[in-house]
Amino acid sequence: MYSIAVLPGDGTGPEVIAQGIKVLKRISAHFNIQFNFKEFDFGGELYLKTGVTLPDGAVEGLKDFDAIYLGAIGHPEVKPGILETGILLKLRFDLDQYINLRPIKLYPNVETPLANKGPEDIDFVVVRENTEGLYAGSGGFLKKGTPDEVAIQEMINTRRGVERCIRYAFEYTRKRNKQKKLTLCAKTNVLTYAHDLWMRTFTELAEDYSDIETDYAHVDAITMWMVKNPEWFDVIVTTNMFGDIITDLGAMIQGGMGVAAGGNINPKGVSMFEPIGGSAPKYTGKNTINPIAAIMAAQMMLEILGEDQAAEAVEESVVKTIGKLKSMSAGQMGYSTSEIGDMVSAGIKT
Ligand code: IPM
Ligand code: MN
């Protein structure tokens, strides 16, 4: 029995999460896996009503679950930054989810903006460090609001944090067993301290993984190669900020935000799975948003929980369902959000 904390969140979050849960319930019926779902109402509405992002004790309470399934955080009436730092980033940090795993995989019948590239060319995974770097929240203002204002935001890189991320990436590359190639993405030519630490750690750990080919690319160059030669990549390991940026590019080449899922992983604790597309306020409540990303987040949850067969069954059914869609974009799919959930769920085979 897995206990799953469900955080539907804002905007279209609840609609897409409902489809993922539908699919997980179907998994229960076909595989011997039970889920106990418990819902929490953290998000923009709760904040507007109470002024609270995460209530006292919420983080501690979440540690009792096997996984967290998150819809979307972001509300048009809440100032940017409050919900992101108060909920999403706080959960990532306080639950020490130090890996953000983001597969970039183009499925058949999904349109990519890259000319002459197909599913055989676009299949890699970004391992993004998820608790440090420019996201650490270290810094402050001096003389704020005056002409002499100073704003500092420090990039924190610890040997321990960098090492555990890179080690996870090596292990993941080995387990994935495809090209067996790990590319470090950083900016060693400019960030001569911070990314020197990344490079040294990467080079040292590589000695433990002689079966894995290693490569390096500067972040600016990698945005170029992701467009021109995505087939070069198997696994990319990178910093928090760079990972944030290149995975939005990745989402576009895999067919858009309707498909892209991510996992915030604490290998020894509770991990959190989410579609990476955001709350999409303009589509809220219309039953037109694409739930595939949320379903793939649930698929990833199964994989990380060690339920490989169930995870494969969901992926297969998603592939079949995608084959029937006119487009991956909201409102143009030829089916509604809930119909797509029904199709994936009906397609689950043991
Ligand atoms: C993401 C998002 C978040 C991030 C925001 C909402 C704080 O863009 O998950 O990629 O920057 O990590
Ligand atoms: Mn992002």
Side-chain angles (χ1 to χ4, degrees):
M1 167 76 82
Y2 293 112
S3 47
I4 310 294
V6 180
L7 281 56
D10 300 316
T12 51
E15 294 165 56
V16 295
I17 286 300
Q19 307 316 313
I21 289 183
K22 195 187 273 176
V23 171
L24 289 173
K25 286 189 172 157
R26 176 81 172 194
I27 284 290
S28 282
H30 280 266
F31 294 79
N32 197 14
I33 306 172
Q34 306 313 317
F35 299 102
N36 186 6
F37 298 106
K38 182 158 190 234
E39 205 170 301
F40 295 87
D41 61 352
F42 311 142
E45 294 298 331
L46 183 70
Y47 174 75
L48 288 172
K49 241 185 283 159
T50 64
V52 172
T53 46
L54 283 176
D56 288 343
V59 173
E60 277 311 305
L62 288 171
K63 288 183 183 165
D64 293 335
F65 288 84
D66 293 300
I68 302 169
Y69 189 32
L70 172 73
I73 297 294
H75 195 292
E77 283 154 48
V78 180
K79 195 177 141 219
I82 294 176
L83 301 172
E84 292 86 340
T85 53
I87 302 178
L88 186 61
L89 299 181
K90 186 169 170 54
L91 290 176
R92 288 177 183 170
F93 292 166
D94 289 5
L95 296 170
D96 204 22
Q97 294 163 340
Y98 62 86
I99 298 296
N100 195 326
L101 199 59
R102 298 190 163 183
I104 314 290
K105 186 168 178 178
L106 178 68
Y107 287 108
N109 194 43
V110 176
E111 203 180 327
T112 175
L114 302 190
N116 308 320
K117 297 291 176 190
E120 61 290 351
D121 303 305
I122 302 172
D123 182 7
F124 59 94
V125 177
V126 177
V127 175
R128 164 185 174 190
E129 200 289 320
N130 211 30
T131 55
E132 302 193 339
L134 278 167
Y135 278 70
S138 169
F141 298 108
L142 208 61
K143 304 185 185 173
K144 189 176 176 188
T146 75
D148 297 325
E149 176 164 356
V150 180
I152 294 178
Q153 189 114 27
E154 287 153 329
M155 180 166 57
I156 308 292
N157 294 266
T158 68
R159 169 72 200 209
R160 189 188 298 277
V162 171
E163 183 168 331
R164 66 183 181 173
C165 173
I166 295 177
R167 191 172 288 287
Y168 183 94
F170 271 109
E171 292 289 336
Y172 186 86
T173 309
R174 182 180 272 172
K175 181 161 180 268
R176 177 172 150 88
N177 200 19
K178 293 215 165 147
Q179 292 183 47
K180 290 198 138 189
K181 175 174 165 189
L182 180 62
T183 304
L184 171 64
C185 163
K187 187 75 184 172
T188 53
N189 53 347
V190 174
L191 304 175
T192 48
Y193 311 117
H195 290 189
D196 183 67
L197 174 62
W198 275 79
M199 185 50 113
R200 270 184 289 120
T201 309
F202 185 66
T203 312
E204 276 172 40
L205 292 194
E207 286 176 25
D208 294 346
Y209 298 90
S210 54
D211 53 325
I212 310 290
E213 183 193 340
T214 55
D215 197 6
Y216 173 82
H218 293 319
V219 63
D220 46 350
I222 223 163
T223 59
M224 211 165 69
W225 304 131
M226 278 172 68
V227 170
K228 195 168 171 290
N229 295 97
E231 68 280 359
W232 285 354
F233 300 110
D234 180 17
V235 180
I236 296 174
V237 62
T238 192
T239 66
N240 208 341
M241 186 82 254
F242 291 173
D244 177 49
I245 297 166
I246 69 170
T247 54
D248 267 26
L249 173 58
M252 287 304 120
I253 69 172
Q254 74 180 130
M257 287 301 182
V259 217
N264 303 275
I265 316 256
N266 175 342
K268 296 202 178 95
V270 53
S271 300
M272 175 166 75
F273 302 87
E274 50 171 342
I276 73 175
S279 59
K282 79 175 193 206
Y283 296 110
T284 301
K286 299 208 162 94
N287 200 22
T288 57
I289 193 95
N290 191 338
I292 294 290
I295 295 171
M296 286 309 289
Q299 190 271 349
M300 205 173 183
M301 180 166 91
L302 289 169
E303 199 175 300
I304 298 291
L305 288 171
E307 300 292 350
D308 290 352
Q309 268 187 315
E312 267 169 46
V314 174
E315 189 180 19
E316 269 172 41
S317 183
V318 162
V319 169
K320 263 187 285 167
T321 302
I322 286 177
K324 297 174 189 149
L325 306 186
K326 287 208 196 96
S327 151
M328 295 304 278
S329 308
Q332 298 164 38
M333 306 176 297
Y335 296 93
S336 67
T337 307
S338 53
E339 279 170 335
I340 294 177
D342 291 340
M343 286 154 76
V344 175
S345 153
I348 302 282
K349 298 269 168 354
T350 47

